[in-house]
């Protein structure tokens, strides 16, 4: 059961949690002030959206790189300048990767960064920043504190590399218990569903969590906010072609 692509995981862990943990991780490691800083966020998926929203709210000037025209248009409509990385790499103060890809920031980009540029990864594993290319004889590594390295060029320029390119929010920040509760509940329900499912419901394949379960996870957490759901009348449910108790979204909704 693919829990990672469920709506509750994507929205809450990836979007809302990263919106907070990006600031937390950067503050804990660098004590940087965000107001007026130029930041480039590579990727405008759920994680990128969260990071950009938080940085914009703190007064940073935020640029976005994207390969997907739909996500790119979303970034533009949200008020962010869409650029190619090499167009802004010399001027930005912070570089954040969150694409899920590899080699998003390579040695050529690192060589062109300004002195003191902070480089970190919020995306997939440790593949997004080509850290291996920095382990060469002409560059000096200086451990400043836990999870913070200065990589120093022969001319004295240095960049601040966080967590050696690993996930910033897992290495340098914390994950709030509320978000952990959502993710753990999703995983637990997926296991219960697989265990209780009658023979033949699932073949040897990977399945998305049924929307009914996604919605159930969300409903379990609504009392935290003293939130009250509106209920459909029989007439409204018939008009929409829905069951009164859900699911309210099609299986392809993300």
């Amino acid at each position: 059961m693919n829990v990672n692509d469920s709506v509750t995981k994507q929205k809450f862990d990836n979007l809302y949690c990263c919106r907070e943990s990006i600031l937390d991780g950067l503050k804990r490691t660098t004590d940087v002030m965000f107001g007026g800083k130029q930041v480039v966020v590579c990727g405008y998926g759920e994680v990128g959206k969260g990071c950009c929203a938080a940085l914009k709210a703190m007064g940073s000037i935020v640029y976005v790189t994207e390969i997907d025209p739909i996500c790119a248009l979303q970034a533009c409509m949200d008020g962010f300048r869409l650029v190619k990385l090499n167009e802004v790499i010399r001027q930005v103060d912070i570089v954040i990767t969150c694409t899920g890809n590899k080699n998003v920031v390579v040695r050529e980009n690192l060589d062109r960064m300004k002195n003191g540029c902070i480089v970190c990864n919020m995306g997939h594993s440790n593949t997004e920043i080509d850290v291996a290319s920095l382990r060469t004889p002409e560059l000096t590594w200086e451990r400043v504190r836990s999870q913070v390295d200065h990589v120093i060029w022969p001319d004295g320029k240095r960049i601040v590399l966080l967590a050696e390119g690993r996930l910033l929010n897992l290495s340098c920040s914390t994950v709030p218990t509320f978000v952990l509760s959502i993710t753990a509940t999703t995983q637990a329900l997926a296991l219960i569903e697989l265990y209780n499912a009658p023979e033949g419901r699932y073949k040897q394949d990977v399945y998305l969590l049924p929307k009914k379960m996604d919605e159930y996870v969300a409903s379990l957490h609504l009392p935290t906010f003293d939130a009250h759901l509106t209920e459909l009348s029989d007439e409204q449910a018939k008009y929409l072609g829905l069951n009164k108790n859900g699911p309210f979204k099609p299986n392809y909704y993300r």
Side-chain angles (χ1 to χ4, degrees):
M1 193 72 80
N2 177 2
V3 169
N4 194 57
D5 287 328
S6 64
V7 175
T8 41
K9 167 66 171 66
Q10 284 281 322
K11 296 290 185 202
F12 298 96
D13 207 339
N14 293 15
L15 174 58
Y16 298 118
C17 184
C18 290
R19 189 172 67 182
E20 300 192 19
S21 60
I22 180 63
L23 302 180
D24 184 33
L26 285 168
K27 279 287 188 188
R28 285 176 191 241
T29 50
T30 66
D31 297 314
V32 65
M33 189 158 184
F34 297 107
K37 290 290 190 298
Q38 295 193 58
V39 186
V40 61
V41 177
C42 302
Y44 201 68
E46 299 296 350
V47 174
K49 287 180 174 70
C51 292
C52 287
L55 291 160
K56 182 180 182 181
M58 295 300 291
S60 298
I61 301 159
V62 183
Y63 303 96
V64 172
T65 71
E66 245 306 337
I67 60 163
D68 181 340
I70 295 175
C71 290
L73 189 58
Q74 284 182 296
C76 293
M77 294 295 286
D78 286 337
F80 301 109
R81 174 88 186 278
L82 192 79
V83 297
K84 292 184 176 180
L85 185 59
N86 60 11
E87 294 171 357
V88 296
I89 197 66
R90 287 187 184 275
Q91 69 197 57
V92 293
D93 303 290
I94 305 173
V95 177
I96 302 166
T97 57
C98 42
T99 67
N101 205 340
K102 69 173 189 176
N103 294 339
V104 178
V105 176
V106 294
R107 178 61 187 269
E108 180 189 354
N109 305 133
L110 295 158
D111 284 339
R112 296 177 63 206
M113 287 176 186
K114 70 196 287 188
N115 183 48
C117 184
I118 299 168
V119 187
C120 64
N121 170 42
M122 288 285 286
H124 179 69
S125 188
N126 61 344
T127 60
E128 303 214 17
I129 302 164
D130 186 11
V131 176
S133 70
L134 295 174
R135 300 194 184 279
T136 53
E138 77 274 12
L139 300 183
T140 305
W141 283 62
E142 182 181 283
R143 173 55 57 95
V144 180
R145 62 168 84 161
S146 176
Q147 307 291 2
V148 183
D149 290 290
H150 282 186
V151 183
I152 307 167
W153 269 250
D155 64 358
K157 182 197 92 168
R158 62 181 66 202
I159 64 167
V160 183
L161 179 65
L162 304 183
E164 297 182 38
R166 297 184 299 274
L167 283 164
L168 177 76
N169 55 335
L170 298 184
S171 304
C172 309
S173 178
T174 59
V175 179
T177 53
F178 182 73
V179 169
L180 280 177
S181 174
I182 291 172
T183 304
T185 305
T186 309
Q187 292 169 338
L189 281 174
L191 288 170
I192 292 168
E193 166 66 13
L194 289 174
Y195 183 80
N196 290 334
E199 190 173 345
R201 177 180 291 177
Y202 298 110
K203 300 186 175 71
Q204 288 187 335
D205 203 349
V206 179
Y207 293 86
L208 278 175
L209 195 74
K211 280 296 168 291
K212 181 76 174 170
M213 287 189 200
D214 249 335
E215 292 171 3
Y216 180 56
V217 172
S219 67
L220 287 174
H221 290 81
L222 283 175
T224 307
F225 304 102
D226 191 26
H228 304 156
L229 270 179
T230 302
E231 295 179 6
L232 290 173
S233 68
D234 291 335
E235 188 180 353
Q236 287 174 323
K238 185 178 179 182
Y239 179 75
L240 293 174
L242 297 173
N243 186 306
K244 281 178 68 173
N245 300 314
F248 299 99
K249 291 286 191 292
N251 273 331
Y252 56 79
Y253 173 79
R254 283 177 61 191

PDB file of all heavy atoms in Angstrom, residues 107 110-111 130-142 150-159:
ATOM      1  N   ARG A 107      28.285  20.592  -9.180  1.00  0.00           N
ATOM      2  CA  ARG A 107      29.515  21.319  -8.842  1.00  0.00           C
ATOM      3  C   ARG A 107      29.607  22.667  -9.566  1.00  0.00           C
ATOM      4  O   ARG A 107      30.040  23.668  -8.986  1.00  0.00           O
ATOM      5  CB  ARG A 107      30.728  20.445  -9.175  1.00  0.00           C
ATOM      6  CG  ARG A 107      32.078  21.098  -8.927  1.00  0.00           C
ATOM      7  CD  ARG A 107      32.283  21.475  -7.446  1.00  0.00           C
ATOM      8  NE  ARG A 107      33.492  22.235  -7.260  1.00  0.00           N
ATOM      9  CZ  ARG A 107      34.687  21.698  -6.987  1.00  0.00           C
ATOM     10  NH1 ARG A 107      34.817  20.378  -6.856  1.00  0.00           N
ATOM     11  NH2 ARG A 107      35.747  22.466  -6.820  1.00  0.00           N
ATOM     12  N   LEU A 110      27.640  25.044  -7.541  1.00  0.00           N
ATOM     13  CA  LEU A 110      28.305  25.293  -6.262  1.00  0.00           C
ATOM     14  C   LEU A 110      29.497  26.234  -6.441  1.00  0.00           C
ATOM     15  O   LEU A 110      29.755  27.096  -5.601  1.00  0.00           O
ATOM     16  CB  LEU A 110      28.736  23.967  -5.640  1.00  0.00           C
ATOM     17  CG  LEU A 110      27.570  23.032  -5.246  1.00  0.00           C
ATOM     18  CD1 LEU A 110      28.043  21.589  -5.166  1.00  0.00           C
ATOM     19  CD2 LEU A 110      26.957  23.464  -3.926  1.00  0.00           C
ATOM     20  N   ASP A 111      30.217  26.068  -7.548  1.00  0.00           N
ATOM     21  CA  ASP A 111      31.375  26.929  -7.824  1.00  0.00           C
ATOM     22  C   ASP A 111      30.961  28.398  -8.010  1.00  0.00           C
ATOM     23  O   ASP A 111      31.739  29.304  -7.719  1.00  0.00           O
ATOM     24  CB  ASP A 111      32.100  26.455  -9.085  1.00  0.00           C
ATOM     25  CG  ASP A 111      32.930  25.197  -8.844  1.00  0.00           C
ATOM     26  OD1 ASP A 111      33.272  24.928  -7.675  1.00  0.00           O
ATOM     27  OD2 ASP A 111      33.220  24.473  -9.820  1.00  0.00           O
ATOM     28  N   ASP A 130      24.906  17.455  -5.343  1.00  0.00           N
ATOM     29  CA  ASP A 130      26.053  16.594  -5.673  1.00  0.00           C
ATOM     30  C   ASP A 130      27.185  16.841  -4.672  1.00  0.00           C
ATOM     31  O   ASP A 130      28.181  17.503  -4.989  1.00  0.00           O
ATOM     32  CB  ASP A 130      26.507  16.869  -7.108  1.00  0.00           C
ATOM     33  CG  ASP A 130      27.601  15.909  -7.557  1.00  0.00           C
ATOM     34  OD1 ASP A 130      27.853  14.911  -6.847  1.00  0.00           O
ATOM     35  OD2 ASP A 130      28.213  16.166  -8.612  1.00  0.00           O
ATOM     36  N   VAL A 131      27.005  16.301  -3.473  1.00  0.00           N
ATOM     37  CA  VAL A 131      27.972  16.524  -2.394  1.00  0.00           C
ATOM     38  C   VAL A 131      29.300  15.829  -2.700  1.00  0.00           C
ATOM     39  O   VAL A 131      30.376  16.331  -2.344  1.00  0.00           O
ATOM     40  CB  VAL A 131      27.396  16.032  -1.043  1.00  0.00           C
ATOM     41  CG1 VAL A 131      28.426  16.163   0.065  1.00  0.00           C
ATOM     42  CG2 VAL A 131      26.135  16.829  -0.694  1.00  0.00           C
ATOM     43  N   ALA A 132      29.257  14.702  -3.392  1.00  0.00           N
ATOM     44  CA  ALA A 132      30.480  13.961  -3.704  1.00  0.00           C
ATOM     45  C   ALA A 132      31.459  14.810  -4.507  1.00  0.00           C
ATOM     46  O   ALA A 132      32.684  14.682  -4.354  1.00  0.00           O
ATOM     47  CB  ALA A 132      30.129  12.687  -4.475  1.00  0.00           C
ATOM     48  N   SER A 133      30.929  15.710  -5.331  1.00  0.00           N
ATOM     49  CA  SER A 133      31.798  16.549  -6.160  1.00  0.00           C
ATOM     50  C   SER A 133      32.572  17.568  -5.330  1.00  0.00           C
ATOM     51  O   SER A 133      33.534  18.173  -5.820  1.00  0.00           O
ATOM     52  CB  SER A 133      30.966  17.281  -7.221  1.00  0.00           C
ATOM     53  OG  SER A 133      30.152  18.277  -6.617  1.00  0.00           O
ATOM     54  N   LEU A 134      32.166  17.771  -4.067  1.00  0.00           N
ATOM     55  CA  LEU A 134      32.857  18.720  -3.185  1.00  0.00           C
ATOM     56  C   LEU A 134      34.001  18.068  -2.417  1.00  0.00           C
ATOM     57  O   LEU A 134      34.771  18.757  -1.748  1.00  0.00           O
ATOM     58  CB  LEU A 134      31.859  19.329  -2.186  1.00  0.00           C
ATOM     59  CG  LEU A 134      30.749  20.200  -2.782  1.00  0.00           C
ATOM     60  CD1 LEU A 134      29.759  20.614  -1.694  1.00  0.00           C
ATOM     61  CD2 LEU A 134      31.322  21.421  -3.478  1.00  0.00           C
ATOM     62  N   ARG A 135      34.090  16.763  -2.496  1.00  0.00           N
ATOM     63  CA  ARG A 135      35.150  16.070  -1.744  1.00  0.00           C
ATOM     64  C   ARG A 135      36.372  15.900  -2.634  1.00  0.00           C
ATOM     65  O   ARG A 135      36.730  14.796  -3.047  1.00  0.00           O
ATOM     66  CB  ARG A 135      34.635  14.722  -1.229  1.00  0.00           C
ATOM     67  CG  ARG A 135      33.432  14.887  -0.289  1.00  0.00           C
ATOM     68  CD  ARG A 135      33.105  13.637   0.482  1.00  0.00           C
ATOM     69  NE  ARG A 135      31.910  13.782   1.299  1.00  0.00           N
ATOM     70  CZ  ARG A 135      31.862  14.366   2.483  1.00  0.00           C
ATOM     71  NH1 ARG A 135      32.966  14.873   3.018  1.00  0.00           N
ATOM     72  NH2 ARG A 135      30.727  14.445   3.167  1.00  0.00           N
ATOM     73  N   THR A 136      36.984  17.025  -2.946  1.00  0.00           N
ATOM     74  CA  THR A 136      38.173  17.048  -3.789  1.00  0.00           C
ATOM     75  C   THR A 136      39.303  17.746  -3.033  1.00  0.00           C
ATOM     76  O   THR A 136      39.060  18.528  -2.103  1.00  0.00           O
ATOM     77  CB  THR A 136      37.885  17.801  -5.103  1.00  0.00           C
ATOM     78  OG1 THR A 136      37.341  19.091  -4.792  1.00  0.00           O
ATOM     79  CG2 THR A 136      36.879  17.049  -5.965  1.00  0.00           C
ATOM     80  N   PRO A 137      40.553  17.493  -3.421  1.00  0.00           N
ATOM     81  CA  PRO A 137      41.701  18.000  -2.649  1.00  0.00           C
ATOM     82  C   PRO A 137      41.748  19.521  -2.514  1.00  0.00           C
ATOM     83  O   PRO A 137      42.227  20.035  -1.501  1.00  0.00           O
ATOM     84  CB  PRO A 137      42.911  17.484  -3.439  1.00  0.00           C
ATOM     85  CG  PRO A 137      42.407  16.309  -4.215  1.00  0.00           C
ATOM     86  CD  PRO A 137      40.982  16.603  -4.520  1.00  0.00           C
ATOM     87  N   GLU A 138      41.239  20.246  -3.511  1.00  0.00           N
ATOM     88  CA  GLU A 138      41.392  21.719  -3.462  1.00  0.00           C
ATOM     89  C   GLU A 138      40.379  22.384  -2.527  1.00  0.00           C
ATOM     90  O   GLU A 138      40.523  23.559  -2.192  1.00  0.00           O
ATOM     91  CB  GLU A 138      41.293  22.319  -4.872  1.00  0.00           C
ATOM     92  CG  GLU A 138      39.890  22.424  -5.455  1.00  0.00           C
ATOM     93  CD  GLU A 138      39.431  21.155  -6.162  1.00  0.00           C
ATOM     94  OE1 GLU A 138      40.109  20.112  -6.013  1.00  0.00           O
ATOM     95  OE2 GLU A 138      38.404  21.217  -6.862  1.00  0.00           O
ATOM     96  N   LEU A 139      39.366  21.647  -2.099  1.00  0.00           N
ATOM     97  CA  LEU A 139      38.360  22.211  -1.207  1.00  0.00           C
ATOM     98  C   LEU A 139      38.588  21.739   0.226  1.00  0.00           C
ATOM     99  O   LEU A 139      38.939  20.589   0.467  1.00  0.00           O
ATOM    100  CB  LEU A 139      36.944  21.811  -1.652  1.00  0.00           C
ATOM    101  CG  LEU A 139      36.522  22.266  -3.057  1.00  0.00           C
ATOM    102  CD1 LEU A 139      35.087  21.858  -3.321  1.00  0.00           C
ATOM    103  CD2 LEU A 139      36.679  23.762  -3.222  1.00  0.00           C
ATOM    104  N   THR A 140      38.381  22.646   1.161  1.00  0.00           N
ATOM    105  CA  THR A 140      38.559  22.327   2.583  1.00  0.00           C
ATOM    106  C   THR A 140      37.203  22.253   3.269  1.00  0.00           C
ATOM    107  O   THR A 140      36.367  23.147   3.094  1.00  0.00           O
ATOM    108  CB  THR A 140      39.415  23.407   3.283  1.00  0.00           C
ATOM    109  OG1 THR A 140      40.650  23.553   2.571  1.00  0.00           O
ATOM    110  CG2 THR A 140      39.680  23.035   4.735  1.00  0.00           C
ATOM    111  N   TRP A 141      36.993  21.194   4.042  1.00  0.00           N
ATOM    112  CA  TRP A 141      35.762  21.042   4.810  1.00  0.00           C
ATOM    113  C   TRP A 141      36.044  21.431   6.257  1.00  0.00           C
ATOM    114  O   TRP A 141      37.022  20.988   6.857  1.00  0.00           O
ATOM    115  CB  TRP A 141      35.255  19.609   4.758  1.00  0.00           C
ATOM    116  CG  TRP A 141      34.580  19.250   3.469  1.00  0.00           C
ATOM    117  CD1 TRP A 141      35.136  19.241   2.221  1.00  0.00           C
ATOM    118  CD2 TRP A 141      33.215  18.841   3.304  1.00  0.00           C
ATOM    119  NE1 TRP A 141      34.222  18.852   1.275  1.00  0.00           N
ATOM    120  CE2 TRP A 141      33.031  18.591   1.914  1.00  0.00           C
ATOM    121  CE3 TRP A 141      32.148  18.654   4.167  1.00  0.00           C
ATOM    122  CZ2 TRP A 141      31.802  18.173   1.400  1.00  0.00           C
ATOM    123  CZ3 TRP A 141      30.932  18.224   3.660  1.00  0.00           C
ATOM    124  CH2 TRP A 141      30.759  17.996   2.282  1.00  0.00           C
ATOM    125  N   GLU A 142      35.172  22.249   6.807  1.00  0.00           N
ATOM    126  CA  GLU A 142      35.327  22.680   8.199  1.00  0.00           C
ATOM    127  C   GLU A 142      34.001  22.454   8.938  1.00  0.00           C
ATOM    128  O   GLU A 142      32.985  23.070   8.597  1.00  0.00           O
ATOM    129  CB  GLU A 142      35.702  24.168   8.219  1.00  0.00           C
ATOM    130  CG  GLU A 142      35.939  24.749   9.586  1.00  0.00           C
ATOM    131  CD  GLU A 142      36.269  26.240   9.497  1.00  0.00           C
ATOM    132  OE1 GLU A 142      37.413  26.579   9.128  1.00  0.00           O
ATOM    133  OE2 GLU A 142      35.366  27.059   9.763  1.00  0.00           O
ATOM    134  N   HIS A 150      31.273  24.124   6.658  1.00  0.00           N
ATOM    135  CA  HIS A 150      31.719  25.129   5.707  1.00  0.00           C
ATOM    136  C   HIS A 150      32.588  24.414   4.681  1.00  0.00           C
ATOM    137  O   HIS A 150      33.525  23.690   5.043  1.00  0.00           O
ATOM    138  CB  HIS A 150      32.544  26.217   6.401  1.00  0.00           C
ATOM    139  CG  HIS A 150      31.706  27.208   7.146  1.00  0.00           C
ATOM    140  ND1 HIS A 150      32.237  28.336   7.751  1.00  0.00           N
ATOM    141  CD2 HIS A 150      30.372  27.268   7.365  1.00  0.00           C
ATOM    142  CE1 HIS A 150      31.256  29.020   8.322  1.00  0.00           C
ATOM    143  NE2 HIS A 150      30.133  28.396   8.103  1.00  0.00           N
ATOM    144  N   VAL A 151      32.281  24.592   3.418  1.00  0.00           N
ATOM    145  CA  VAL A 151      33.124  24.081   2.337  1.00  0.00           C
ATOM    146  C   VAL A 151      33.840  25.292   1.754  1.00  0.00           C
ATOM    147  O   VAL A 151      33.199  26.236   1.276  1.00  0.00           O
ATOM    148  CB  VAL A 151      32.301  23.351   1.265  1.00  0.00           C
ATOM    149  CG1 VAL A 151      33.228  22.782   0.199  1.00  0.00           C
ATOM    150  CG2 VAL A 151      31.448  22.251   1.888  1.00  0.00           C
ATOM    151  N   ILE A 152      35.182  25.275   1.837  1.00  0.00           N
ATOM    152  CA  ILE A 152      35.979  26.471   1.543  1.00  0.00           C
ATOM    153  C   ILE A 152      36.768  26.278   0.250  1.00  0.00           C
ATOM    154  O   ILE A 152      37.494  25.277   0.096  1.00  0.00           O
ATOM    155  CB  ILE A 152      36.933  26.780   2.713  1.00  0.00           C
ATOM    156  CG1 ILE A 152      36.136  26.854   4.026  1.00  0.00           C
ATOM    157  CG2 ILE A 152      37.679  28.081   2.478  1.00  0.00           C
ATOM    158  CD1 ILE A 152      37.005  26.844   5.269  1.00  0.00           C
ATOM    159  N   TRP A 153      36.642  27.249  -0.658  1.00  0.00           N
ATOM    160  CA  TRP A 153      37.359  27.232  -1.933  1.00  0.00           C
ATOM    161  C   TRP A 153      38.751  27.847  -1.741  1.00  0.00           C
ATOM    162  O   TRP A 153      38.993  28.570  -0.749  1.00  0.00           O
ATOM    163  CB  TRP A 153      36.564  28.023  -2.975  1.00  0.00           C
ATOM    164  CG  TRP A 153      35.598  27.202  -3.776  1.00  0.00           C
ATOM    165  CD1 TRP A 153      35.692  26.867  -5.091  1.00  0.00           C
ATOM    166  CD2 TRP A 153      34.364  26.598  -3.314  1.00  0.00           C
ATOM    167  NE1 TRP A 153      34.630  26.103  -5.486  1.00  0.00           N
ATOM    168  CE2 TRP A 153      33.798  25.922  -4.418  1.00  0.00           C
ATOM    169  CE3 TRP A 153      33.718  26.553  -2.080  1.00  0.00           C
ATOM    170  CZ2 TRP A 153      32.599  25.215  -4.331  1.00  0.00           C
ATOM    171  CZ3 TRP A 153      32.518  25.847  -1.990  1.00  0.00           C
ATOM    172  CH2 TRP A 153      31.972  25.186  -3.087  1.00  0.00           C
ATOM    173  N   PRO A 154      39.674  27.610  -2.673  1.00  0.00           N
ATOM    174  CA  PRO A 154      41.045  28.145  -2.540  1.00  0.00           C
ATOM    175  C   PRO A 154      41.101  29.672  -2.405  1.00  0.00           C
ATOM    176  O   PRO A 154      42.014  30.201  -1.766  1.00  0.00           O
ATOM    177  CB  PRO A 154      41.732  27.688  -3.842  1.00  0.00           C
ATOM    178  CG  PRO A 154      40.984  26.457  -4.251  1.00  0.00           C
ATOM    179  CD  PRO A 154      39.560  26.699  -3.837  1.00  0.00           C
ATOM    180  N   ASP A 155      40.134  30.391  -2.992  1.00  0.00           N
ATOM    181  CA  ASP A 155      40.146  31.858  -2.903  1.00  0.00           C
ATOM    182  C   ASP A 155      39.523  32.374  -1.607  1.00  0.00           C
ATOM    183  O   ASP A 155      39.388  33.593  -1.416  1.00  0.00           O
ATOM    184  CB  ASP A 155      39.445  32.478  -4.113  1.00  0.00           C
ATOM    185  CG  ASP A 155      37.956  32.117  -4.175  1.00  0.00           C
ATOM    186  OD1 ASP A 155      37.482  31.360  -3.299  1.00  0.00           O
ATOM    187  OD2 ASP A 155      37.267  32.592  -5.100  1.00  0.00           O
ATOM    188  N   GLY A 156      39.120  31.462  -0.728  1.00  0.00           N
ATOM    189  CA  GLY A 156      38.538  31.870   0.553  1.00  0.00           C
ATOM    190  C   GLY A 156      37.027  31.847   0.593  1.00  0.00           C
ATOM    191  O   GLY A 156      36.418  31.966   1.662  1.00  0.00           O
ATOM    192  N   LYS A 157      36.390  31.726  -0.573  1.00  0.00           N
ATOM    193  CA  LYS A 157      34.922  31.639  -0.597  1.00  0.00           C
ATOM    194  C   LYS A 157      34.468  30.387   0.136  1.00  0.00           C
ATOM    195  O   LYS A 157      35.094  29.334   0.040  1.00  0.00           O
ATOM    196  CB  LYS A 157      34.408  31.596  -2.033  1.00  0.00           C
ATOM    197  CG  LYS A 157      32.884  31.551  -2.133  1.00  0.00           C
ATOM    198  CD  LYS A 157      32.387  31.105  -3.489  1.00  0.00           C
ATOM    199  CE  LYS A 157      32.154  29.602  -3.541  1.00  0.00           C
ATOM    200  NZ  LYS A 157      31.415  29.185  -4.744  1.00  0.00           N
ATOM    201  N   ARG A 158      33.391  30.512   0.886  1.00  0.00           N
ATOM    202  CA  ARG A 158      32.858  29.335   1.559  1.00  0.00           C
ATOM    203  C   ARG A 158      31.342  29.286   1.413  1.00  0.00           C
ATOM    204  O   ARG A 158      30.666  30.306   1.368  1.00  0.00           O
ATOM    205  CB  ARG A 158      33.261  29.311   3.030  1.00  0.00           C
ATOM    206  CG  ARG A 158      32.754  30.474   3.873  1.00  0.00           C
ATOM    207  CD  ARG A 158      33.264  30.337   5.311  1.00  0.00           C
ATOM    208  NE  ARG A 158      34.704  30.479   5.405  1.00  0.00           N
ATOM    209  CZ  ARG A 158      35.445  30.007   6.408  1.00  0.00           C
ATOM    210  NH1 ARG A 158      34.860  29.366   7.412  1.00  0.00           N
ATOM    211  NH2 ARG A 158      36.749  30.181   6.432  1.00  0.00           N
ATOM    212  N   ILE A 159      30.812  28.062   1.312  1.00  0.00           N
ATOM    213  CA  ILE A 159      29.364  27.874   1.369  1.00  0.00           C
ATOM    214  C   ILE A 159      29.047  27.125   2.659  1.00  0.00           C
ATOM    215  O   ILE A 159      29.912  26.452   3.236  1.00  0.00           O
ATOM    216  CB  ILE A 159      28.824  27.099   0.144  1.00  0.00           C
ATOM    217  CG1 ILE A 159      29.381  25.664   0.109  1.00  0.00           C
ATOM    218  CG2 ILE A 159      29.105  27.838  -1.143  1.00  0.00           C
ATOM    219  CD1 ILE A 159      28.665  24.759  -0.864  1.00  0.00           C
TER     220      ILE A 159
END
